[in-house]
């Protein structure tokens, strides 16, 4: 590759990186989530009555939950008895 091709690639990379940074900044500006009790009291002028802690599931629980979502219904075996 020539020097001009490398320069064009660098410029394209920088432009892409700037677009990504701008997108991240815009997404952050649009996030109106109140994350702490202090923010709730400050912006809503209401007292916080309770806080629900965020809990992480252990890996085994996440795997089990995923397996439950992937299960298929099993049809009962034909017993030869008709239900009439």
């Amino acid at each position: 590759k020539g020097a001009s091709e490398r320069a064009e690639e660098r410029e394209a990379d920088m432009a892409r990186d700037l677009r990504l940074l701008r997108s991240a900044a815009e997404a952050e500006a649009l996030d109106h989530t109140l994350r702490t009790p202090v923010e709730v009291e400050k912006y809503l002028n209401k007292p916080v009555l309770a806080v629900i802690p965020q809990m992480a599931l252990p890996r085994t629980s996440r795997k089990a939950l995923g397996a439950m979502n992937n299960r298929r219904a099993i049809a009962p075996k034909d017993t030869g008895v008709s239900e009439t």
Side-chain angles (χ1 to χ4, degrees), residues 9-22:
E9 286 179 6
R10 279 194 303 267
E11 287 178 21
D13 289 343
M14 286 192 303
R16 184 195 69 234
D17 293 344
L18 286 174
R19 284 193 303 271
L20 287 172
L21 284 172
R22 184 176 41 196

Side-chain angles (χ1 to χ4, degrees), residues 10-72:
R10 279 194 303 267
E11 287 178 21
D13 289 343
M14 286 192 303
R16 184 195 69 234
D17 293 344
L18 286 174
R19 284 193 303 271
L20 287 172
L21 284 172
R22 184 176 41 196
S23 298
E26 289 172 356
E28 184 70 27
L30 294 174
D31 183 10
H32 300 293
T33 305
L34 299 175
R35 300 187 185 279
T36 66
V38 173
E39 289 178 347
V40 171
E41 291 176 348
K42 178 180 176 183
Y43 294 111
L44 301 180
N45 296 320
K46 301 287 182 190
V48 174
L49 301 177
V51 176
I52 301 172
Q54 182 177 3
M55 296 174 51
L57 289 174
R59 285 184 173 263
T60 54
S61 296
R62 278 186 256 146
K63 287 181 183 176
L65 288 173
M68 288 173 55
N69 291 336
N70 293 331
R71 288 187 184 164
R72 293 183 182 160

